[in-house]
Amino acid sequence: MIVHGRLIGDAPFFAVHVQHARFGGIVWMLADTGASRTALLDRDSLSLRIPGDILIPADPPVVGIGGSAATYLVSDVEFTLTGETGLFVRKHDLCVVRHPLESLRTPERARMLRLPSVLGRGMIGPSRFTYESSSRTVTLEFGA
Amino acid sequence: MAVTMIESLRAFEADHVWVADNRERLLQDHADSWIAVRDGSVIGVDQDFDALLRKIPDPSHTCIEFIGREPIEMIL
């Protein structure tokens, strides 16, 4: 199954439907091979209205460039992408990252909200990931 | 159900591509604002993200982007 993404500038994005028993929605996710997990960042976490009571602190803690933020895991999340021959569906854990937005000044808060959610190696790893800027091609091929 | 999901995903993707393709014009009209886009049209604008979420009917299935004058580099 081949799933096509889009290059926005030189950044590879995929539209991913994320579904849990308590929330659901579509997220524009940056394919990020540097991310060990698929993670929702603040903007998308707020848009999807993820309820706080389902968030379990991530163990081990998640660290990225810039330091640590509060990170949580949500289990039993279904990810759906559109493939060439239909839907591609996988169940996976989802990491939810929350920065202390309320303690940030407005310009910094706005910058943090611009961070895209990332499709990490947990989802990309089982695929053949193709990124070719010259032809504006970005795909995930599963079952290759 | 599958057809509806495919249509929803493709429409969502198309809206994000539309924002990228129309960024210069959107900068003239909505600089430093959050916008919500559906079917290639801006359906909501606000400089405050939370305020925009309250304005639009279905934020969890809507393209929401920031049209910023300040370019930023992201390392993720």
Side-chain angles (χ1 to χ4, degrees):
Chain A
M1 167 79 76
I2 296 177
V3 176
H4 289 270
R6 301 298 290 263
L7 285 180
I8 304 296
D10 61 359
F13 281 89
F14 290 84
V16 184
H17 189 271
V18 178
Q19 188 66 54
H20 181 269
R22 299 276 303 278
F23 66 88
I26 307 178
V27 182
W28 192 231
M29 285 195 170
L30 174 71
D32 184 359
T33 58
S36 57
R37 294 180 180 274
T38 295
L40 276 191
L41 275 290
D42 303 85
R43 176 185 62 191
D44 296 312
S45 174
L46 290 168
S47 297
L48 266 58
R49 298 190 178 117
I50 296 180
D53 63 308
I54 67 170
L55 298 177
I56 300 168
D59 182 27
V62 177
V63 180
I65 293 175
S68 301
T71 50
Y72 305 90
L73 279 185
V74 181
S75 302
D76 293 324
V77 179
E78 189 173 83
F79 296 85
T80 304
L81 298 90
T82 303
E84 286 185 346
T85 55
L87 294 174
F88 177 80
V89 185
R90 276 293 180 273
K91 268 210 172 169
H92 220 270
D93 288 345
L94 174 66
C95 186
V96 177
V97 179
R98 291 204 164 163
H99 293 91
L101 298 176
E102 52 288 335
S103 67
L104 298 175
R105 289 180 303 147
T106 301
E108 188 64 13
R109 183 175 190 273
R111 289 188 198 108
M112 298 308 293
L113 284 169
R114 292 170 73 174
L115 289 173
S117 295
V118 295
L119 195 67
R121 293 196 302 273
M123 283 288 290
I124 296 173
S127 77
R128 176 187 294 159
F129 176 48
T130 300
Y131 169 94
E132 190 175 79
S133 183
S134 59
S135 63
R136 309 288 297 166
T137 300
V138 56
T139 60
L140 296 167
E141 186 176 357
F142 295 94
Chain B
M1 181 114 154
V3 171
T4 304
M5 174 73 78
I6 290 172
E7 289 171 350
S8 296
L9 284 164
R10 289 196 173 142
F12 184 86
E13 175 185 300
D15 283 335
H16 279 278
V17 173
W18 182 87
V19 170
D21 290 345
N22 289 275
R23 188 160 283 269
E24 288 305 312
R25 180 175 68 79
L26 290 168
L27 260 175
Q28 290 174 15
D29 297 339
H30 307 298
D32 295 334
S33 297
W34 290 94
I35 64 169
V37 175
R38 277 271 190 161
D39 299 323
S41 295
V42 177
I43 62 166
V45 184
D46 206 296
Q47 292 194 323
D48 182 83
F49 177 75
D50 297 299
L52 179 64
L53 290 188
R54 289 191 292 270
K55 282 182 183 178
I56 59 177
D58 185 15
S60 60
H61 294 83
T62 302
C63 165
I64 299 173
E65 288 276 8
F66 183 74
I67 308 300
R69 272 184 281 238
E70 176 196 58
I72 58 173
E73 292 287 335
M74 294 185 189
I75 298 176
L76 300 174

